[in-house]
């Protein structure tokens, strides 16, 4: 069940303001540059970052992009997971991964599932998310094992010649 208090305008505006403010701060760019790039008046940007004004979706995307973030991923994370996780993921590879994943997923589902796309049940989402995360973790472990093997075999060869 969705907690409607978490969806209040005040709560949402404050969470989004914290996300956008943190993004701008992490970018290292000054607010005048961000305002100019996003075509938002500097006072409107200041009020948005302070949580006094709600940005449009386009404004939020432009602020995130101008700050060097993965804008679609950050906004989708904000809508789906809330402000805390989204803020923690700013300027990380996982945010960029999520941006690419979300961009590719609808088309991949249509290509792979074809007509079965209409048979997908919402109740499968949680299990699918955990399965994808496990698959990704296994893939990372495999790459690390291969890197270690390459490093060991390279190190033995070099050490044998020079040792």
């Amino acid at each position: 069940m969705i907690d409607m208090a978490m969806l209040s305008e005040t709560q949402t505006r404050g969470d989004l303001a914290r996300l956008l403010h943190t993004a701008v701060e992490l970018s290292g760019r000054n607010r005048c540059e961000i305002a100019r790039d996003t075509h938002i008046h500097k006072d409107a940007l200041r009020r948005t970052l302070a949580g006094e004004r709600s940005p449009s979706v386009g404004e939020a995307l432009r602020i995130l992009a101008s700050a060097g973030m993965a804008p679609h991923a950050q906004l989708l994370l904000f809508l789906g997971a809330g402000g805390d996780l989204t803020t923690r993921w700013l300027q990380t590879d996982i945010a960029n991964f999520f941006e690419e994943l979300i961009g590719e997923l609808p088309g991949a589902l249509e290509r792979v599932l074809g007509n079965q796309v209409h048979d997908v049940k919402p109740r499968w989402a949680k299990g699918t998310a955990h399965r994808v995360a496990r698959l990704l973790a296994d893939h990372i472990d495999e790459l690390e094992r291969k890197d270690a093997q390459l490093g060991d075999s390279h190190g033995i060869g070099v050490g044998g010649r020079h040792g």
Side-chain angles (χ1 to χ4, degrees), residues 9 13 16-17 20 40 48 53-61 63:
E9 183 64 28
R13 183 186 304 137
L16 184 55
L20 296 175
I40 299 171
T48 298
R53 174 186 176 273
S54 294
S56 69
V57 172
E59 288 173 336
L61 288 169
I63 291 167

Side-chain angles (χ1 to χ4, degrees), residues 21-42:
H21 181 268
T22 303
V24 169
E25 292 299 312
L26 288 174
S27 76
R29 301 185 71 208
N30 70 48
R31 290 181 183 187
C32 288
E33 292 174 316
I34 301 280
R36 187 174 45 252
D37 285 353
T38 59
H39 304 288
I40 299 171
H41 189 275
K42 64 183 179 182

Side-chain angles (χ1 to χ4, degrees), residues 127-149:
T128 301
H130 288 273
R131 193 169 187 177
V132 168
R134 172 58 30 216
L135 180 65
L136 187 56
D138 291 346
H139 180 67
I140 291 169
D141 289 345
E142 179 65 23
L143 290 174
E144 288 174 350
R145 277 193 297 276
K146 286 180 180 180
D147 283 349
Q149 287 175 346

Side-chain angles (χ1 to χ4, degrees), residues 33-163:
E33 292 174 316
I34 301 280
R36 187 174 45 252
D37 285 353
T38 59
H39 304 288
I40 299 171
H41 189 275
K42 64 183 179 182
D43 186 54
L45 178 64
R46 180 195 56 75
R47 289 184 301 129
T48 298
L49 300 180
E52 299 166 1
R53 174 186 176 273
S54 294
S56 69
V57 172
E59 288 173 336
L61 288 169
R62 290 193 311 272
I63 291 167
L64 289 165
S66 182
M69 308 300 158
H72 296 96
Q74 298 301 158
L75 204 51
L76 285 168
L77 278 170
F78 177 79
L79 292 172
D84 291 338
L85 175 70
T86 308
T87 301
R88 283 197 317 267
W89 280 18
L90 283 170
Q91 285 190 321
T92 64
D93 285 343
I94 191 70
N96 293 325
F97 169 84
F98 190 72
E99 177 101 355
E100 292 292 322
L101 177 70
I102 293 304
E104 289 293 321
L105 187 58
L109 289 171
E110 289 220 326
R111 280 189 305 278
V112 173
L113 294 175
N115 290 335
Q116 290 177 317
V117 76
H118 302 291
D119 297 332
V120 173
K121 305 292 183 230
R123 68 178 185 265
W124 300 341
K126 187 174 183 178
T128 301
H130 288 273
R131 193 169 187 177
V132 168
R134 172 58 30 216
L135 180 65
L136 187 56
D138 291 346
H139 180 67
I140 291 169
D141 289 345
E142 179 65 23
L143 290 174
E144 288 174 350
R145 277 193 297 276
K146 286 180 180 180
D147 283 349
Q149 287 175 346
L150 285 173
D152 288 346
S153 65
H154 180 70
I156 291 170
V158 171
R161 277 184 263 158
H162 299 304

